Structures are given as structure tokens and as C-alpha cells.
Amino acid sequence: MHQPRNVLVTVALLSTVIATEIHAADTVSVLSAEKPKVAIFAEDVTVDGTRRPDLGRALADSLSTNLLRRGQMRVFNLTTEETKSGTQTLALAKDEKTQAPVMDKDVDYLLSFNLFSNANEHRLTVKKTRVSTSELVDSHQFFTYGRVSDVFSLMGKVVERIDPLPVRHAFPATQSPAEIRAAQPDLDPPHRGFWAGDYANPASPAYDPWRGNLVTQYDLKNVPKALIYRELGSIQHIDNTWKFTIVRPVKGVELRPNDPLHVLYDEGDVYANLRVGTVEREGAVADFGGTPEHHPLFNGDKVFGWHTPPVEKPAKAK
């Protein structure tokens, strides 16, 4: 039996409207951090008492190129105008009340630099200013000697200082990554984090994309060990002909094929290297190579290796 055409059209329209309303209700706007937006400005470039705006523009272009190749920020051009004295000034929109030049609020930072050259001595000062508050947040000075063109060789050093690459240390296999967060001190309590430490959240007053780009370094000294060097079992049988032993693991230790095992001198040095071949119900078969004639293997020798820490027994309630 076929349904009337108008009924099918009505049902299709209703389903579309309902689906649209549900989708609209579930839509959530999430603010995500982005690369810092930076503008570069040559304030004053003086060579032997003569202002050189052309050299300033060339240095700004070189700095922009290095920052773009680094790929950690977005670089914006600034409109400048040359004054009668030869200096470069920002040609920006003026505030209606004060008639003072204002910076576009979409730019996070202004990188400005000054170059003072006298004979063969050159001093370059680079400043980083937070645009929203006009706060000077960082400043560096660089020196070089030689020709004026040698200043361009400083751009690599400038970029390394003002835009460092995040250092990602390899996490040691002997540490426990699952417990790393619990081991770190709470530098900013929850009620202060939004205001003082939430650098990666654009909605936070502390939003700082430059600082949020850096990777937090953890104090691995306070992180529990995932593996420790401990006693894993003892030798129960030795076959010097075929060079294998039977090792009985201690309680809580599960040996696996290819696990390395050591027999130690009393001083702690290794004198016998064993490697697990097969694992049986009553123990593990471990192969061993040559051992010193004056100190062969004996039944009852303890074997050591890297393994997970023993499970701590819960304290008995009084």
C-alpha cells in the first residue's frame, strides 16, 4: 500500500526541522589557542650618526623570514611612514578620544628593534611588547663587530632567543608516566589558575600564546619509578654442559622470554649474564655464557634485573 505523496513530504520536512533543532542545541563554541600574532617594527637604525631606514626595513624582512620559517607564529606587516629626519614611525589609526596612535588589537605582540652602529661596533636591541597592555615583557641586546652587513648574521641568534623551540625530553622507560601528574606540585590552585596560569586559554585574562607554546618540563626526580633494579629469583639447577639454568622467580615476578638476568658479585658488579629462553610453570629456563673459573654459578645464587616495583601492602587499620 503506497502512502500519499503529501504525507511523505510532510514527514520529511518535520524530520529535517527536528534534526536541525537538535544539531543547533548540541552546537558548542570552543575557543582554541592559536599561534601568536606578531608585528615587526624597526624603531631607529643609525649608522655612524646617519639614520638608515632602508637598512631597518631589510633587517625587519630578514627577521620576518626567519620567524616564518620557524613556523611557530603568524607575522603581520605594519604600515610605516618616513619622517623628515629619516626615522620610521607607525602609521596607525588614531583613537577618537586621545588622537594617539593605537595598535590593532588583533596583534598579540610587537617586536621592535633598534640598531646603533659606530665604526665597526654594532649593537642591536630587540624588545617584545604585549600590544593589549603596552607592557614590555622581554628585551635582548646583541653585539657584533665588523661591517654593517654582518648584522644580518645576528638574525639566527635573535630568533633563537625570542622564539625558542619547545624542548621535548624523552620520557625515561624507568619512570611511571601514569603518575607524573600526581607527582607534580600544584603551583596554581584551581581558584587562581584561570587568572594566573591558564596561558593557553584564549578566554583567560592570563592568555599568552607565546608562553603557552612552550612545553612544560617535569621534575622526573619526583615521579615514581616504573622499573627498578631488584631481585627477581634464584637459581635452582645448573647444566654446565648445555649452559642453561632453571630460575625460580620470587613471588610477584613474572619472567618473560628474552628477559636479561644478572648474577652479581658481593660488591654489586655483574659476573654472569643470563637470558630467559622459555618460561615453564615451575620456573624459567635461562641460558648463560662463560663465567669466571674462580667464581662459577651455584644453586641458590640470586638473580637480578629490571622489573616493576613490588606491590606495597596496604597498612593494617588499627
Side-chain angles (χ1 to χ4, degrees):
M1 181 176 181
H2 298 283
Q3 295 289 342
R5 180 179 179 83
N6 57 350
V7 175
L8 294 177
V9 173
T10 304
V11 172
L13 290 175
L14 288 176
S15 60
T16 303
V17 172
I18 294 174
T20 303
E21 292 179 353
I22 293 176
H23 178 72
D26 292 341
T27 301
V28 178
S29 177
V30 179
L31 294 175
S32 59
E34 60 179 9
K35 296 180 181 178
K37 290 176 285 188
V38 179
I40 300 174
F41 174 57
E43 286 185 343
D44 193 9
V45 176
T46 304
V47 179
D48 295 331
T50 304
R51 300 189 183 278
R52 293 285 304 276
D54 56 333
L55 179 60
R57 287 191 293 269
L59 290 173
D61 291 341
S62 178
L63 183 57
S64 301
T65 301
N66 281 271
L67 290 175
L68 285 175
R69 288 181 177 177
R70 210 167 185 81
Q72 295 192 138
M73 60 181 58
R74 301 168 62 189
V75 182
F76 290 79
N77 290 325
L78 292 178
T79 303
T80 60
E81 57 183 11
E82 189 170 337
T83 63
K84 295 180 180 180
S85 61
T87 59
Q88 296 289 312
T89 59
L90 292 177
L92 302 175
K94 295 184 178 181
D95 185 63
E96 296 180 356
K97 298 181 180 179
T98 62
Q99 292 299 314
V102 295
M103 177 66 73
D104 186 358
K105 298 302 180 181
D106 288 338
V107 178
D108 297 314
Y109 301 98
L110 174 67
L111 285 181
S112 58
F113 63 88
N114 294 289
L115 175 65
F116 178 79
S117 296
N118 184 21
N120 63 342
E121 299 181 0
H122 315 287
R123 174 182 298 179
L124 180 68
T125 303
V126 182
K127 298 179 292 184
K128 183 175 79 172
T129 304
R130 192 193 301 271
V131 172
S132 59
T133 60
S134 299
E135 176 188 3
L136 180 65
V137 293
D138 202 4
S139 180
H140 301 280
Q141 286 190 333
F142 304 87
F143 301 90
T144 187
Y145 300 90
R147 298 174 298 180
V148 177
S149 58
D150 293 338
V151 178
F152 287 89
S153 63
L154 291 174
M155 290 301 104
K157 185 181 297 184
V158 171
V159 172
E160 289 289 343
R161 187 71 61 85
I162 64 176
D163 186 29
L165 292 173
V167 179
R168 293 176 172 85
H169 296 293
F171 201 90
T174 59
Q175 304 293 114
S176 174
E179 300 187 35
I180 187 171
R181 185 178 297 276
Q184 302 309 310
D186 187 8
L187 300 178
D188 291 299
H191 65 279
R192 291 184 62 243
F194 180 79
W195 299 95
D198 202 356
Y199 305 109
N201 182 7
S204 169
Y207 175 55
D208 189 342
W210 203 309
R211 186 169 181 178
N213 181 50
L214 300 180
V215 176
T216 303
Q217 301 300 323
Y218 299 102
D219 183 9
L220 298 179
K221 296 179 181 179
N222 297 328
V223 180
K225 296 285 186 179
L227 300 175
I228 63 172
Y229 197 74
R230 55 177 288 203
E231 178 185 348
L232 300 182
S234 59
I235 295 178
Q236 302 298 311
H237 173 74
I238 303 172
D239 190 316
N240 288 308
T241 302
W242 296 100
K243 299 295 184 180
F244 72 86
T245 65
I246 303 298
V247 177
R248 178 178 295 173
V250 298
K251 186 177 180 180
V253 170
E254 182 179 350
L255 297 177
R256 296 170 299 180
N258 294 321
D259 278 352
L261 304 175
H262 301 146
V263 181
L264 309 178
Y265 286 106
D266 292 338
E267 296 80 9
D269 297 329
V270 177
Y271 80 86
N273 289 291
L274 294 79
R275 185 167 296 275
V276 177
T278 58
V279 179
E280 307 292 343
R281 176 180 296 181
E282 300 299 330
V285 179
D287 300 323
F288 70 93
T291 56
E293 294 182 359
H294 64 278
H295 202 318
L297 295 176
F298 294 96
N299 289 334
D301 280 347
K302 296 180 179 179
V303 296
F304 297 83
W306 289 95
H307 204 274
T308 55
V311 180
E312 297 182 0
K313 298 181 178 179
K316 294 183 180 180
K318 297 182 178 179

